[in-house]
Amino acid sequence: MQHSKIDFLKATPLEARSGTKTTYLPALGLTLVDADKQTAINALLAPGYRTAFFMNAHCCNVMAQDQKYAGAVRRADVLLPDGIGVKLAGKMTGHELAANLNGTDLIPLLLTQAADMGKSVYLFGGTPGTAEAAANKLTTDIPHLRIAGTRDGFVGALDPNLVVADINASRADIVIVAMGVPMQEMWIDRYAHRLDAPLCLGVGAALDFLAGNVTRAPKVVRKAKMEWVWRLAMEPKRLAKRYLIGNATFLARAATKALQQTPRRHIKTRVMDVSIAALALVALAPVFAATAIAVKAETKGPALFRQTRIGKNGEKFSMLKFRSMHQDAEARQAEILNASDREGVCFKSRTDPRITKVGRFIRRASIDELPQLINVLRGDMSIVGPRPALPREVARYPMRAFGRLAVKPGITGLWQVSGRANIGFDKMVEMDLAYVSARTMLLDIILILMTFRAVMSGRGAY
């Protein structure tokens, strides 16, 4: 059975069929799957015809040089993020991808689920004998997997018509093509519409890993996102240009595109944030040291306190503060929730018994907030913005309050300089929404200057 190219490419959009989220990364100019491994596998195996490519830094470099390959990539139905380089490119524009969906890890999991569904696979590519060795490994690891056929990517790939006929005769449900970038994507783009198999994937070196031709990095290296270093050490002559020059080129190109896509105000704000935070950390180093000593001297436990907060677009991050409470403060909060002096969903109590003596002083002077300068350098927060909320507070937000999550949270802001905890939740939300809609560099500078007066007065700081 043959499909017209248009019908084939438009038959089953990934999000429409499976609900799987995809994310456009401006730094790459590509829309990639943004999901965990299981969700991605479910989407790939959902009913319908689709092609899928794994995109890493090397693929993007080839795209920049080869317009035909770039066209093939953009015509694919599914693009999967592969490697730390793509993850970093997403972060350049504030996009945190859910998972690294590289083929070496994903293919065995996908084929295990496919076997459970009664689907078969055809392995096409690699040097002579590689596909057969990979098939043997797969059937050992997944005994109920049906291998519909195998074919090498050299002599076996010389006549595309014979390849297509052989795959269709095998009645395979999944075709794995492993001929390297860009050959495998070009082959799929040109011939996949003639295949009966619903799913066709370009998998790069996945068959070599399965066949044992290439040794994978130890788990600890993979966990550290340094597998490329391992592969470079194994094959320095072949991979030096790809990884050393190629990775630097990729990141430089991605950063350039990210800057081009980022509004000038965002760039200026980030420069201001980094500059102020870095200078403040240096200038306030004695205050940091003295505070840490005072906290440790009064109570046992770490000087710094980490707490999960909700940032821009609902992303969670770990916010830093100097510890101003006893170590069991979180466990004791349920006992005093009814003692809040503040209206709304945010808890605040002037007589909170969990606060230490040092804690009351550093809260009154706002010293407890200073470690958030590190959060600013990390990119979790800005100097100016709405205060970051706790997950339990966001869970109780009325719809209107979610508007305050449209920007990065800040150390200071309109609410902070206007009375802090003395201001009720509803009024705080209105202040934050006003800031989000009217923020400018001038407003940020004014709020930073007003912060010094707010700190000196101590109004609402408890």
Side-chain angles (χ1 to χ4, degrees):
M1 155 179 167
Q2 292 191 7
H3 320 279
S4 75
K5 193 66 178 176
I6 294 177
D7 288 343
F8 177 76
L9 293 176
K10 294 184 178 180
T12 52
L14 189 70
E15 291 199 63
R17 275 282 184 168
S18 65
T20 300
K21 179 184 175 183
T22 58
T23 296
Y24 177 74
L25 300 188
L28 302 182
L30 297 174
T31 298
L32 303 177
V33 172
D34 187 7
D36 59 42
K37 291 177 182 178
Q38 187 56 59
T39 303
I41 289 170
N42 291 342
L44 290 170
L45 295 177
Y49 290 83
R50 57 180 59 88
T51 57
F53 300 160
F54 294 89
M55 299 303 298
N56 56 31
H58 176 61
C59 297
C60 294
N61 284 342
V62 176
M63 279 185 70
Q65 302 295 325
D66 188 334
Q67 292 304 306
K68 289 184 179 180
Y69 170 70
V73 168
R74 298 187 190 286
R75 286 188 291 271
D77 298 298
V78 183
L79 298 178
L80 300 150
D82 176 1
I84 185 63
V86 171
K87 183 180 181 70
L88 290 174
K91 283 188 172 183
M92 289 177 185
T93 49
H95 298 86
E96 183 71 42
L97 293 170
N100 172 14
L101 302 176
N102 68 83
T104 309
D105 289 331
L106 197 70
I107 293 302
L109 298 175
L110 181 141
L111 293 180
T112 299
Q113 185 163 321
D116 293 340
M117 298 169 68
K119 296 180 180 294
S120 61
V121 62
Y122 190 105
L123 307 180
F124 170 39
T127 57
T130 294
E132 289 83 354
N136 292 334
K137 172 64 174 173
L138 285 169
T139 52
T140 299
D141 295 342
I142 315 170
H144 55 305
L145 176 65
R146 290 190 294 119
I147 304 294
T150 62
R151 197 177 189 92
D152 73 78
F154 288 80
V155 175
L158 291 177
D159 189 336
N161 293 321
L162 286 178
V163 177
V164 169
D166 191 39
I167 293 173
N168 286 341
S170 76
R171 305 188 69 177
D173 300 293
I174 301 168
V175 177
I176 287 179
V177 184
M179 296 193 292
V181 176
M183 287 182 61
Q184 63 195 18
E185 289 82 8
M186 300 289 285
W187 192 96
I188 292 172
D189 182 61
R190 190 167 183 179
Y191 299 108
H193 70 285
R194 294 171 54 186
L195 299 177
D196 296 338
L199 176 61
C200 192
L201 302 106
V203 300
L207 291 190
D208 283 313
F209 283 114
L210 286 168
N213 298 344
V214 180
T215 303
R216 286 211 73 181
K219 286 186 178 180
V220 65
V221 176
R222 282 180 264 161
K223 191 173 182 180
K225 309 294 190 299
M226 298 296 286
E227 188 167 11
W228 67 272
V229 176
W230 173 271
R231 291 201 64 195
L232 176 60
M234 294 297 101
E235 301 181 81
K237 288 185 179 180
R238 188 174 75 87
L239 298 177
K241 183 177 180 181
R242 176 189 296 190
Y243 286 136
L244 297 181
I245 299 175
N247 284 356
T249 301
F250 166 79
L251 290 173
R253 185 187 304 109
T256 300
K257 287 186 177 180
L259 287 172
Q260 291 172 346
Q261 297 290 330
T262 303
R264 286 187 177 182
R265 186 196 179 284
H266 293 175
I267 297 173
K268 291 178 180 178
T269 299
R270 184 59 182 156
V271 170
M272 181 179 75
D273 283 345
V274 171
S275 300
I276 292 176
L279 289 171
L281 284 169
V282 173
L284 296 172
V287 177
F288 272 73
T291 304
I293 293 170
V295 171
K296 295 280 288 183
E298 183 179 12
T299 59
K300 293 181 179 180
L304 288 180
F305 173 67
R306 297 174 182 270
Q307 190 174 50
T308 299
R309 295 292 180 113
I310 304 299
K312 182 179 178 181
N313 297 327
E315 295 289 338
K316 293 182 179 180
F317 71 97
S318 181
M319 190 184 78
L320 298 172
K321 298 181 73 171
F322 279 118
R323 183 167 57 83
S324 59
M325 293 185 174
H326 293 283
Q327 279 194 283
D328 61 350
E330 291 289 304
R332 294 170 57 191
Q333 182 161 18
E335 304 171 8
I336 58 171
L337 279 177
N338 294 329
S340 180
D341 295 316
R342 189 178 181 204
E343 296 177 357
V345 302
C346 300
F347 174 84
K348 279 287 183 179
S349 173
R350 289 184 177 86
T351 58
D352 193 330
R354 301 170 302 163
I355 301 175
T356 64
K357 292 179 180 179
V358 171
R360 291 197 182 281
F361 173 78
I362 62 176
R363 282 182 170 222
R364 175 70 170 71
S366 296
I367 294 172
D368 63 320
E369 309 286 356
L370 291 180
Q372 288 156 43
L373 292 166
I374 298 172
N375 286 114
V376 173
L377 288 181
R378 289 176 177 174
D380 302 322
M381 297 176 64
S382 286
I383 297 295
V384 181
R387 285 300 293 161
L390 292 162
R392 64 172 176 266
E393 295 169 349
V394 175
R396 297 173 58 197
Y397 270 9
M399 187 59 66
R400 183 167 175 76
F402 283 98
R404 67 191 302 274
L405 303 181
V407 298
K408 283 184 181 181
I411 297 177
T412 188
L414 187 58
W415 168 76
Q416 293 92 314
V417 303
S418 302
R420 286 185 274 189
N422 288 343
I423 296 173
F425 174 76
D426 291 339
K427 188 173 181 181
M428 178 195 75
V429 169
E430 294 307 314
M431 286 182 169
D432 287 339
L433 293 179
Y435 169 77
V436 169
S437 63
R439 63 194 182 120
T440 62
M441 287 292 295
L442 179 59
L443 177 59
D444 283 356
I445 293 170
I446 291 172
L447 290 173
I448 291 170
L449 295 175
M450 291 178 68
T451 300
F452 293 102
R453 185 187 69 178
V455 169
M456 294 300 295
S457 73
R459 188 160 62 101
Y462 55 83

PDB file of all heavy atoms in Angstrom, residues 19 66 160 208-209 219 224 236 246 259 324 361 372 382 394 397:
ATOM      1  N   GLY A  19      -1.944  13.749  22.282  1.00  0.00           N
ATOM      2  CA  GLY A  19      -1.913  14.733  23.352  1.00  0.00           C
ATOM      3  C   GLY A  19      -0.511  15.022  23.850  1.00  0.00           C
ATOM      4  O   GLY A  19      -0.329  15.730  24.830  1.00  0.00           O
ATOM      5  N   ASP A  66      23.581  21.704   4.984  1.00  0.00           N
ATOM      6  CA  ASP A  66      22.935  20.885   3.961  1.00  0.00           C
ATOM      7  C   ASP A  66      21.445  21.203   3.914  1.00  0.00           C
ATOM      8  O   ASP A  66      20.667  20.743   4.753  1.00  0.00           O
ATOM      9  CB  ASP A  66      23.167  19.401   4.291  1.00  0.00           C
ATOM     10  CG  ASP A  66      22.702  18.463   3.181  1.00  0.00           C
ATOM     11  OD1 ASP A  66      21.804  18.840   2.410  1.00  0.00           O
ATOM     12  OD2 ASP A  66      23.227  17.333   3.119  1.00  0.00           O
ATOM     13  N   PRO A 160      17.214   0.957  -3.696  1.00  0.00           N
ATOM     14  CA  PRO A 160      16.115   1.352  -2.797  1.00  0.00           C
ATOM     15  C   PRO A 160      14.813   0.621  -3.095  1.00  0.00           C
ATOM     16  O   PRO A 160      14.040   0.331  -2.173  1.00  0.00           O
ATOM     17  CB  PRO A 160      15.980   2.856  -3.046  1.00  0.00           C
ATOM     18  CG  PRO A 160      17.300   3.287  -3.586  1.00  0.00           C
ATOM     19  CD  PRO A 160      17.783   2.126  -4.393  1.00  0.00           C
ATOM     20  N   ASP A 208      24.598  -0.006  16.253  1.00  0.00           N
ATOM     21  CA  ASP A 208      25.993  -0.308  16.627  1.00  0.00           C
ATOM     22  C   ASP A 208      26.112  -0.566  18.130  1.00  0.00           C
ATOM     23  O   ASP A 208      26.859  -1.450  18.557  1.00  0.00           O
ATOM     24  CB  ASP A 208      26.910   0.847  16.223  1.00  0.00           C
ATOM     25  CG  ASP A 208      27.209   0.852  14.737  1.00  0.00           C
ATOM     26  OD1 ASP A 208      27.533  -0.216  14.202  1.00  0.00           O
ATOM     27  OD2 ASP A 208      27.110   1.925  14.116  1.00  0.00           O
ATOM     28  N   PHE A 209      25.386   0.210  18.933  1.00  0.00           N
ATOM     29  CA  PHE A 209      25.399  -0.015  20.382  1.00  0.00           C
ATOM     30  C   PHE A 209      24.772  -1.369  20.709  1.00  0.00           C
ATOM     31  O   PHE A 209      25.296  -2.128  21.519  1.00  0.00           O
ATOM     32  CB  PHE A 209      24.649   1.104  21.102  1.00  0.00           C
ATOM     33  CG  PHE A 209      25.430   2.389  21.207  1.00  0.00           C
ATOM     34  CD1 PHE A 209      25.012   3.532  20.547  1.00  0.00           C
ATOM     35  CD2 PHE A 209      26.581   2.454  21.982  1.00  0.00           C
ATOM     36  CE1 PHE A 209      25.723   4.720  20.651  1.00  0.00           C
ATOM     37  CE2 PHE A 209      27.306   3.636  22.099  1.00  0.00           C
ATOM     38  CZ  PHE A 209      26.876   4.766  21.423  1.00  0.00           C
ATOM     39  N   LYS A 219      27.139   4.251  33.465  1.00  0.00           N
ATOM     40  CA  LYS A 219      25.945   4.994  33.869  1.00  0.00           C
ATOM     41  C   LYS A 219      26.276   6.306  34.552  1.00  0.00           C
ATOM     42  O   LYS A 219      25.591   7.310  34.368  1.00  0.00           O
ATOM     43  CB  LYS A 219      25.069   4.136  34.788  1.00  0.00           C
ATOM     44  CG  LYS A 219      24.316   3.033  34.054  1.00  0.00           C
ATOM     45  CD  LYS A 219      23.357   2.311  34.993  1.00  0.00           C
ATOM     46  CE  LYS A 219      22.576   1.235  34.235  1.00  0.00           C
ATOM     47  NZ  LYS A 219      21.625   0.511  35.137  1.00  0.00           N
ATOM     48  N   ALA A 224      25.906  12.167  34.319  1.00  0.00           N
ATOM     49  CA  ALA A 224      26.558  13.482  34.374  1.00  0.00           C
ATOM     50  C   ALA A 224      26.456  14.227  33.054  1.00  0.00           C
ATOM     51  O   ALA A 224      27.028  15.306  32.900  1.00  0.00           O
ATOM     52  CB  ALA A 224      28.021  13.317  34.756  1.00  0.00           C
ATOM     53  N   PRO A 236      38.852   9.171  19.161  1.00  0.00           N
ATOM     54  CA  PRO A 236      39.279  10.568  19.063  1.00  0.00           C
ATOM     55  C   PRO A 236      39.469  11.066  17.633  1.00  0.00           C
ATOM     56  O   PRO A 236      39.119  12.201  17.315  1.00  0.00           O
ATOM     57  CB  PRO A 236      40.590  10.593  19.855  1.00  0.00           C
ATOM     58  CG  PRO A 236      41.051   9.169  19.881  1.00  0.00           C
ATOM     59  CD  PRO A 236      39.819   8.344  19.903  1.00  0.00           C
ATOM     60  N   GLY A 246      32.509  20.907  16.600  1.00  0.00           N
ATOM     61  CA  GLY A 246      31.072  20.887  16.316  1.00  0.00           C
ATOM     62  C   GLY A 246      30.228  21.374  17.474  1.00  0.00           C
ATOM     63  O   GLY A 246      29.297  22.164  17.276  1.00  0.00           O
ATOM     64  N   LEU A 259      19.607  35.071  21.010  1.00  0.00           N
ATOM     65  CA  LEU A 259      19.674  36.517  21.206  1.00  0.00           C
ATOM     66  C   LEU A 259      18.819  37.250  20.182  1.00  0.00           C
ATOM     67  O   LEU A 259      18.155  38.239  20.490  1.00  0.00           O
ATOM     68  CB  LEU A 259      21.126  36.994  21.110  1.00  0.00           C
ATOM     69  CG  LEU A 259      22.027  36.642  22.295  1.00  0.00           C
ATOM     70  CD1 LEU A 259      23.470  37.005  21.988  1.00  0.00           C
ATOM     71  CD2 LEU A 259      21.552  37.343  23.554  1.00  0.00           C
ATOM     72  N   SER A 324      15.990  30.954  59.013  1.00  0.00           N
ATOM     73  CA  SER A 324      15.529  31.831  60.095  1.00  0.00           C
ATOM     74  C   SER A 324      14.615  31.094  61.069  1.00  0.00           C
ATOM     75  O   SER A 324      14.106  31.692  62.015  1.00  0.00           O
ATOM     76  CB  SER A 324      14.768  33.029  59.505  1.00  0.00           C
ATOM     77  OG  SER A 324      13.649  32.579  58.752  1.00  0.00           O
ATOM     78  N   PHE A 361      15.871  38.804  63.569  1.00  0.00           N
ATOM     79  CA  PHE A 361      16.700  39.945  63.166  1.00  0.00           C
ATOM     80  C   PHE A 361      16.949  39.946  61.661  1.00  0.00           C
ATOM     81  O   PHE A 361      16.784  40.977  61.000  1.00  0.00           O
ATOM     82  CB  PHE A 361      18.029  39.927  63.917  1.00  0.00           C
ATOM     83  CG  PHE A 361      18.993  40.967  63.419  1.00  0.00           C
ATOM     84  CD1 PHE A 361      18.854  42.297  63.782  1.00  0.00           C
ATOM     85  CD2 PHE A 361      20.026  40.623  62.547  1.00  0.00           C
ATOM     86  CE1 PHE A 361      19.730  43.266  63.296  1.00  0.00           C
ATOM     87  CE2 PHE A 361      20.906  41.576  62.062  1.00  0.00           C
ATOM     88  CZ  PHE A 361      20.750  42.899  62.445  1.00  0.00           C
ATOM     89  N   GLN A 372      19.281  34.640  47.642  1.00  0.00           N
ATOM     90  CA  GLN A 372      18.552  34.568  46.373  1.00  0.00           C
ATOM     91  C   GLN A 372      19.295  35.273  45.243  1.00  0.00           C
ATOM     92  O   GLN A 372      18.939  35.135  44.073  1.00  0.00           O
ATOM     93  CB  GLN A 372      17.150  35.138  46.551  1.00  0.00           C
ATOM     94  CG  GLN A 372      16.250  34.222  47.364  1.00  0.00           C
ATOM     95  CD  GLN A 372      15.110  34.930  48.039  1.00  0.00           C
ATOM     96  OE1 GLN A 372      14.458  35.785  47.450  1.00  0.00           O
ATOM     97  NE2 GLN A 372      14.859  34.582  49.305  1.00  0.00           N
ATOM     98  N   SER A 382      14.758  37.032  39.035  1.00  0.00           N
ATOM     99  CA  SER A 382      15.289  38.340  38.651  1.00  0.00           C
ATOM    100  C   SER A 382      15.461  39.175  39.911  1.00  0.00           C
ATOM    101  O   SER A 382      14.982  38.804  40.984  1.00  0.00           O
ATOM    102  CB  SER A 382      14.330  39.049  37.690  1.00  0.00           C
ATOM    103  OG  SER A 382      14.371  38.465  36.405  1.00  0.00           O
ATOM    104  N   VAL A 394       0.136  28.107  45.138  1.00  0.00           N
ATOM    105  CA  VAL A 394      -0.284  28.141  43.734  1.00  0.00           C
ATOM    106  C   VAL A 394      -1.453  27.193  43.500  1.00  0.00           C
ATOM    107  O   VAL A 394      -2.356  27.480  42.697  1.00  0.00           O
ATOM    108  CB  VAL A 394       0.896  27.780  42.804  1.00  0.00           C
ATOM    109  CG1 VAL A 394       0.439  27.690  41.352  1.00  0.00           C
ATOM    110  CG2 VAL A 394       2.006  28.809  42.943  1.00  0.00           C
ATOM    111  N   TYR A 397      -4.558  29.082  44.018  1.00  0.00           N
ATOM    112  CA  TYR A 397      -4.719  30.347  43.307  1.00  0.00           C
ATOM    113  C   TYR A 397      -6.080  30.434  42.606  1.00  0.00           C
ATOM    114  O   TYR A 397      -6.510  29.479  41.956  1.00  0.00           O
ATOM    115  CB  TYR A 397      -3.644  30.483  42.228  1.00  0.00           C
ATOM    116  CG  TYR A 397      -2.354  31.146  42.661  1.00  0.00           C
ATOM    117  CD1 TYR A 397      -2.092  31.440  43.987  1.00  0.00           C
ATOM    118  CD2 TYR A 397      -1.386  31.489  41.716  1.00  0.00           C
ATOM    119  CE1 TYR A 397      -0.903  32.037  44.364  1.00  0.00           C
ATOM    120  CE2 TYR A 397      -0.193  32.086  42.083  1.00  0.00           C
ATOM    121  CZ  TYR A 397       0.043  32.355  43.409  1.00  0.00           C
ATOM    122  OH  TYR A 397       1.214  32.953  43.780  1.00  0.00           O
TER     123      TYR A 397
END
